[in-house]
Amino acid sequence: EPEVTQTPSHQVTQMGQEVILRCVPISNHLYFYWYRQILGQKVEFLVSFYNNEISEKSEIFDDQFSVERPDGSNFTLKIRSTKLEDSAMYFCASKGSGGGSYNEQFFGPGTRLTVL
Amino acid sequence: EDKVVQSPLSLVVHEGDTVTLNCSYEVTNFRSLLWYKQEKKAPTFLFMLTSSGIEKKSGRLSSILDKKELFSILNITATQTGDSAVYLCAVVRGINDYKLSFGAGTTVTVRA
């Protein structure tokens, strides 16, 4: 069964460093998302991406964040200068086109980011 | 701002019990409501509900949506220890906006 994959599973970094979280969405999906979940809190939307551009972003997704689909298979989230409060589990999700109806989003296993 | 409120926050039951989880929402341009199960890591999809009053079933799990009263329930019958997880409710709104707005989740613990 196709699945969303993410690497690394755990990333530890120093405050102020740049990190890139990688995701490989399901191959025929067209919509891509990043969510994060701070320990003990709810899953929060960060950004959605369709047709090679951001379609929506949340208030959390400030200038320190960027997304890219560099090669048609990977979907990356970059945090330029990490802060302690960026420590969270980051989930990538993808969704098919659905032909006008909504299809469910499939989530990857997540990357746990720890900022020291 | 979208609101998705789940209740209870947590509950503990014994194997064989039935649990009912609630999710109420206030969103503009509501499109669908989804239920996910989160065990250790990624949320896994359970149900998507778009129409009111139509029950969706999968084994011992079932769910229904009430678009007039703006809530959904998820039922688990004959619970097993493997049902222990956080159950997440999320809503999708709009036509071109497919982001999920999640509730805080209900932690279900099933004791043997």
Side-chain angles (χ1 to χ4, degrees):
Chain A
E1 188 175 324
E3 57 182 18
V4 178
T5 59
Q6 290 185 243
T7 54
S9 57
H10 191 188
Q11 171 101 43
V12 180
T13 190
Q14 296 287 329
M15 192 168 56
Q17 296 296 305
E18 175 183 285
V19 294
I20 297 177
L21 310 183
R22 301 180 194 281
C23 167
V24 179
I26 293 172
S27 64
N28 61 346
H29 282 185
L30 300 177
Y31 297 85
F32 312 112
Y33 308 84
W34 284 100
Y35 294 85
R36 79 170 185 193
Q37 187 175 32
I38 295 170
L39 190 64
Q41 298 186 24
K42 66 180 182 180
V43 178
E44 301 173 290
F45 167 77
L46 291 178
V47 66
S48 57
F49 192 87
Y50 170 71
N51 201 25
N52 283 320
E53 61 182 23
I54 290 173
S55 44
E56 187 176 357
K57 56 186 180 180
S58 71
E59 292 174 355
I60 303 166
F61 194 89
D62 62 21
D63 292 345
Q64 293 301 312
F65 291 86
S66 61
V67 289
E68 200 175 35
R69 188 156 159 80
D71 57 12
S73 63
N74 289 286
F75 179 51
T76 61
L77 173 70
K78 183 194 289 187
I79 309 175
R80 285 191 187 78
S81 177
T82 49
K83 303 188 281 281
L84 295 175
E85 53 265 38
D86 293 328
S87 295
M89 181 73 92
Y90 287 80
F91 293 109
C92 172
S94 70
K95 185 183 86 66
S97 63
S101 64
Y102 181 79
N103 289 335
E104 64 268 21
Q105 292 179 25
F106 291 86
F107 283 77
T111 292
R112 178 159 295 288
L113 176 66
T114 302
V115 182
L116 302 175
Chain B
E1 189 181 320
D2 297 342
K3 276 190 190 175
V4 182
V5 179
Q6 292 186 246
S7 63
L9 287 181
S10 64
L11 71 163
V12 180
V13 298
H14 289 94
E15 274 192 317
D17 289 349
T18 294
V19 299
T20 298
L21 310 182
N22 301 289
C23 176
S24 64
Y25 61 91
E26 287 179 35
V27 301
T28 52
N29 298 320
F30 173 84
R31 187 176 178 89
S32 299
L33 184 145
L34 292 87
W35 285 96
Y36 284 84
K37 178 181 182 182
Q38 186 177 29
E39 292 179 85
K40 293 201 174 151
K41 285 196 173 175
T44 53
F45 174 78
L46 294 175
F47 297 112
M48 182 179 73
L49 303 153
T50 305
S51 301
S52 222
I54 299 174
E55 186 182 50
K56 294 240 175 152
K57 278 182 75 77
S58 176
R60 296 176 292 102
L61 277 66
S62 63
S63 184
I64 197 160
L65 175 69
D66 185 328
K67 288 168 77 172
K68 186 177 173 191
E69 300 298 329
L70 308 183
F71 78 92
S72 173
I73 60 171
L74 174 70
N75 279 319
I76 311 173
T77 58
T79 50
Q80 302 169 357
T81 54
D83 295 326
S84 295
V86 178
Y87 290 83
L88 302 173
C89 170
V91 296
V92 178
R93 58 172 172 79
I95 298 174
N96 297 315
D97 167 10
Y98 296 128
K99 74 175 190 190
L100 295 173
S101 296
F102 282 89
T106 294
T107 302
V108 175
T109 304
V110 182
R111 298 210 192 282

